[in-house]
Amino acid sequence: MDDIVDLVTRSLADETAAAFTERVDEQAMQLRRAIESGEFDNEAFSVGLEIELYAINAEPDPPEPDDAEDSEEATEADLNDDLSGSSEAAWSGSLDAPAEPENGGGASLEPNGGGASLEPDEGDPLEPAGDESLDQDTGDAADESDDAFGPGEGPSLDIDPDSPLADDEPETPENEAESAVESSVEEEDDEPYMDPEDWEGRLTRLPDVVFEGEANKELGLHNAEVNTKPNSFDQTGMEVQTTAVEMQTKQARQQASKHNCELVLDAMWTIPPEEGSKEYLSAHEMNDGVVLADNMRQAPRYVALDNEALDHAGGSINFDVPGHSGSFPTILFESLATSIQPHLQVPDAEAFPEYYNAAIRTLGPLLALSVNSPFLPADMYGDTDGEWLCETTHHELRIAAFEQSVNTSENPKVRVPQDLDDTTDVVGRVVDDDLFAPFLREFLHDDDRTEFEDDFWEFDHKRGTYWRWLRCVVGGAPVDGASTEKSLRIEYRPLPTQPHAKDMIGLQALTVGLIRGLVVADHPVAELPWQEARRSFYNAADDGLEADLSWVTAQGERTADHDAIYDEVFEYARLGLAEQDISEARIDEYLGSIEVRYDAGMTPSDWKIARVREYLDDGDDLSTAIQSMQRDYIAASREHHSFEEWL
């Protein structure tokens, strides 16, 4: 802990800021020259996906063992692992590995058939993803690996959990004995100390051992993330993406289930931990003037970012959304939210602004289709009227949670980005962004800079705090047949985690296909004024599919008609996928489930609100209604294969 405090203190020192800024300026100049000289041009498009989850208890905690020695061991394990509960078997159904079809086709979105399990080429990642394995037969747990997109590129606050800025040592020593909690579950006479109905689905902390498999660490102790290795954007690449999402999410869940946790595909947790949401998100201590949030990963970068944001905010950070108004002594309330983030690597550097500006215009329509976080944890609402809340709440509270948690400096860091005029603007914008928690490479490395990523280490670190809802990632490891380590990627950041793997692959295909299709067809959508695109985005966060959206049609006409907008959204997504040689059958498979939700006028957020209303109509109070809805959501996600089956 002292090492973390020392690193954070060094990070926030004035002399570090000066040296860091000088290096970023120098590295940015080199990057601009490299982009202008064509060094960032590549052969083909490639894609990848990041997915965030959160953990809940999977079965009631057992009582304390009678044996004094066992009791002491359990207490010590609870302290070291930071657990609050225990688990059952992994989720089934939608995460089963695809079986090989008779016709030898590719990977399938269906859980029990339709395609072969494809492993990504070892040389394919945009950035190292470590020793991840999709081999379902061996079942070997991968070594804790690098995030597929490198330092500072994950959801939330974007730290690679295994980057040099994360803890060097695991929080739970490798030679520590297994917690006595799990073994005691087997005792037939054990009874939960809490009523199972009150206990079921509560947020819980993940033990470090869960991250020895496919899951990576994230901001909160309850958070986990899985990432696909990026692949070429074509039929084979998308089939590998499909298999990777299914397999890696399944394996992460299985690993969690061994330790009495269940990983949930959802955009915001609503059943609070046992101590309560406010207490969980606020718990912290001070060490030599450094704030250490109890339930935040004690990675130096997280802690430094927390203290930087708090300093700008005067020591506490306000969070105000319909039904809740309060403040927190740490940024940890950002960990309420979980998201998915498609990546699209663009091979033609000169054309990058065209893709980026078109993507800005898609933010509103795509967010409106995917909204999934209309409620905060149930105990954060006090005596709020339930009917009023259902009518008033935002359909995507993640947007407010992320923006309000870190937008404490003079220039908001989380927002819709402005249009790009020139490709090199992607470098200049990072340089000009407010400086948060700088680190110098020698704080963490004592070797020479020998690789491309080493040469731009400080720039990449600052880019990791450039939290726009759409941003450019400069650089990456080679993707076979697509790119070198010098590449430019769009990171599409506002989409919430969905109930099933099939839904997430569908949104990935819709996003990358639409951006590609709009540009290849020379669609005039970029003529929509930027202010209108921004307004559409925040309207979508507030109102979901009922949002007032703006669009420019293929004929160059402004429209707010939803049918006209979504007819083109799906048409040009299909065009973009076809342009990348993806078959019509596969396109139908990817996009069909998302089209169904539009036709039905029902998003996951709509489903949640309707469910809460049903419980309110039955006489439940708001807290009970929200928690009952959440248990229904978890049950439905276990029982079905895609959200369209819920409708």
Side-chain angles (χ1 to χ4, degrees):
M1 193 62 68
D2 289 341
D3 290 343
I4 293 175
V5 171
D6 178 63
L7 277 171
V8 171
T9 302
R10 294 172 70 187
S11 169
L12 303 181
D14 291 342
E15 55 268 27
T16 297
F20 182 88
T21 299
E22 183 177 349
R23 293 185 193 181
V24 168
D25 288 344
E26 181 180 345
Q27 292 165 16
M29 188 178 303
Q30 296 177 50
L31 287 171
R32 289 189 188 98
R33 284 199 293 260
I35 291 171
E36 290 171 343
S37 65
E39 294 179 38
F40 280 78
D41 291 333
N42 284 286
E43 297 178 49
F45 292 87
S46 58
V47 292
L49 185 65
E50 303 172 79
I51 302 165
E52 266 198 318
L53 310 90
Y54 64 78
I56 60 170
N57 293 308
E59 62 185 40
D61 285 345
E64 291 294 327
D66 292 333
D67 183 82
E69 182 178 349
D70 288 345
S71 179
E72 181 178 350
E73 183 179 356
T75 302
E76 182 179 352
D78 286 345
L79 277 173
N80 289 329
D81 289 341
D82 207 15
L83 290 170
S84 65
S86 331
S87 163
E88 60 178 14
W91 287 11
S92 58
S94 64
L95 293 172
D96 288 348
E100 186 169 351
E102 295 179 1
N103 62 5
S108 172
L109 291 172
E110 295 304 322
N112 293 312
S117 176
L118 298 175
E119 288 191 36
D121 189 308
E122 288 297 324
D124 274 359
L126 282 170
E127 304 240 359
D131 297 325
E132 295 173 352
S133 172
L134 300 181
D135 191 341
Q136 58 183 322
D137 297 321
T138 65
D140 293 340
D143 293 335
E144 195 166 319
S145 60
D146 287 344
D147 175 38
F149 292 108
E153 296 174 32
S156 303
L157 295 179
D158 310 313
I159 192 172
D160 174 358
D162 302 302
S163 79
L165 296 177
D167 284 333
D168 292 331
E169 299 296 330
E171 293 163 13
T172 305
E174 292 180 3
N175 60 357
E176 184 176 340
E178 284 290 325
S179 168
V181 172
E182 185 174 356
S183 62
S184 65
V185 174
E186 299 172 1
E187 299 179 19
E188 294 182 1
D189 296 334
D190 284 346
E191 294 293 338
Y193 70 86
M194 184 184 296
D195 187 313
E197 186 172 333
D198 294 333
W199 178 95
E200 184 185 359
R202 286 189 178 275
L203 189 78
T204 193
R205 303 161 180 86
L206 287 163
D208 273 7
V209 68
V210 170
F211 300 101
E212 293 175 1
E214 294 295 344
N216 294 318
K217 297 175 183 177
E218 248 292 337
L219 179 68
L221 294 179
H222 56 279
N223 290 136
E225 178 182 300
V226 295
N227 306 305
T228 64
K229 290 183 178 181
N231 301 101
S232 57
F233 183 17
D234 51 28
Q235 177 145 323
T236 298
M238 285 300 297
E239 288 171 347
V240 174
Q241 289 285 302
T242 298
T243 302
V245 170
E246 291 175 334
M247 295 294 295
Q248 290 175 219
T249 308
K250 177 182 179 180
Q251 289 170 12
R253 286 168 164 171
Q254 288 177 329
Q255 185 74 357
S257 74
K258 296 175 184 177
H259 301 278
N260 293 348
C261 304
E262 182 169 322
L263 288 172
V264 180
L265 288 171
D266 192 12
M268 185 167 286
W269 50 274
T270 60
I271 303 179
E274 187 176 350
E275 65 264 50
S277 301
K278 178 74 172 179
E279 293 75 15
Y280 179 88
L281 296 170
S282 299
H284 70 284
E285 61 182 59
M286 297 290 293
N287 188 327
D288 288 340
V290 173
V291 174
L292 297 165
D294 291 359
N295 295 304
M296 182 185 293
R297 295 280 168 204
Q298 296 303 300
R301 182 171 178 272
Y302 283 149
V303 178
L305 289 169
D306 193 11
N307 281 266
E308 183 87 77
L310 285 168
D311 183 61
H312 283 290
S316 66
I317 303 173
N318 294 329
F319 181 42
D320 294 295
V321 293
H324 174 83
S325 179
S327 63
F328 290 90
T330 161
I331 63 171
L332 188 62
F333 70 90
E334 188 274 337
S335 70
L336 287 165
T338 52
S339 65
I340 63 171
Q341 297 178 345
H343 286 238
L344 175 64
Q345 182 260 320
V346 178
D348 181 358
E350 186 176 356
F352 189 87
E354 189 176 3
Y355 284 91
Y356 191 86
N357 296 344
I360 291 173
R361 275 72 188 170
T362 70
L363 291 172
L366 295 192
L367 181 63
L369 274 174
S370 61
V371 287
N372 192 22
S373 58
F375 297 109
L376 297 175
D379 61 344
M380 293 179 69
Y381 285 116
D383 59 357
T384 300
D385 179 75
E387 290 295 340
W388 175 87
L389 183 65
C390 288
E391 184 65 30
T392 310
T393 188
H394 299 173
H395 279 254
E396 196 52 40
L397 289 169
R398 289 173 43 260
I399 304 302
F402 192 17
E403 290 195 352
Q404 294 183 38
S405 64
V406 293
N407 279 353
T408 61
S409 61
E410 182 177 356
N411 302 297
K413 296 179 72 66
V414 186
R415 61 181 190 267
V416 175
Q418 294 280 347
D419 288 336
L420 291 175
D421 295 322
D422 186 85
T423 306
T424 56
D425 290 346
V426 302
V427 176
R429 290 186 180 181
V430 172
V431 172
D432 294 338
D433 200 41
D434 288 351
L435 180 61
F436 261 43
F439 278 79
L440 302 178
R441 188 175 182 275
E442 60 267 26
F443 288 2
L444 304 148
H445 299 278
D446 57 9
D447 59 328
D448 294 332
R449 301 184 190 234
T450 58
E451 304 294 335
F452 172 81
E453 62 183 356
D454 297 332
D455 291 337
F456 302 96
W457 195 95
E458 283 81 6
F459 176 88
D460 195 51
H461 177 84
K462 188 172 185 184
R463 194 264 314 146
T465 70
Y466 180 79
W467 297 307
R468 304 308 190 263
W469 290 115
L470 194 74
R471 69 179 179 185
C472 174
V473 179
V474 180
V479 178
D480 188 34
S483 68
T484 69
E485 74 276 9
K486 297 179 180 179
S487 62
L488 300 174
R489 282 181 280 125
I490 292 174
E491 183 184 21
Y492 202 96
R493 299 175 53 79
L495 303 181
T497 301
Q498 300 294 294
H500 299 280
K502 182 174 182 178
D503 303 318
M504 293 185 292
I505 284 290
L507 277 179
Q508 179 192 30
L510 178 63
T511 301
V512 297
L514 178 58
I515 296 170
R516 177 71 174 122
L518 290 171
V519 175
V520 75
D522 197 24
H523 191 287
V525 69
E527 295 177 6
L528 180 73
W530 176 86
Q531 292 84 352
E532 285 297 301
R534 179 185 182 277
R535 186 186 63 82
S536 290
F537 173 72
Y538 288 107
N539 286 349
D542 289 352
D543 301 322
L545 271 182
E546 298 299 317
D548 180 12
L549 303 174
S550 295
W551 188 257
V552 170
T553 69
Q555 290 73 40
E557 299 174 352
R558 290 272 294 274
T559 184
D561 180 75
H562 277 208
D563 288 341
I565 293 171
Y566 284 104
D567 282 351
E568 292 203 351
V569 163
F570 291 117
E571 175 187 352
Y572 285 90
R574 287 175 174 275
L575 174 64
L577 294 170
E579 182 71 17
Q580 297 306 117
D581 296 324
I582 298 172
S583 70
E584 185 175 352
R586 280 285 179 255
I587 294 172
D588 289 341
E589 189 174 10
Y590 295 141
L591 300 187
S593 63
I594 309 299
E595 291 172 321
V596 165
R597 72 169 63 173
Y598 175 73
D599 292 339
M602 179 71 70
T603 63
S605 177
D606 291 314
W607 184 93
K608 289 179 175 179
I609 292 171
R611 209 69 166 187
V612 168
R613 281 188 164 129
E614 289 177 12
Y615 283 110
L616 292 172
D617 290 344
D618 289 341
D620 288 344
D621 60 39
L622 178 61
S623 179
T624 302
I626 290 175
Q627 295 184 68
S628 297
M629 171 278 295
Q630 189 65 61
R631 294 184 182 108
D632 290 347
Y633 178 101
I634 294 167
S637 66
R638 293 185 187 126
E639 295 165 4
H640 299 294
H641 303 149
S642 67
F643 178 69
E644 66 180 296
E645 297 177 10
W646 301 24
L647 304 180

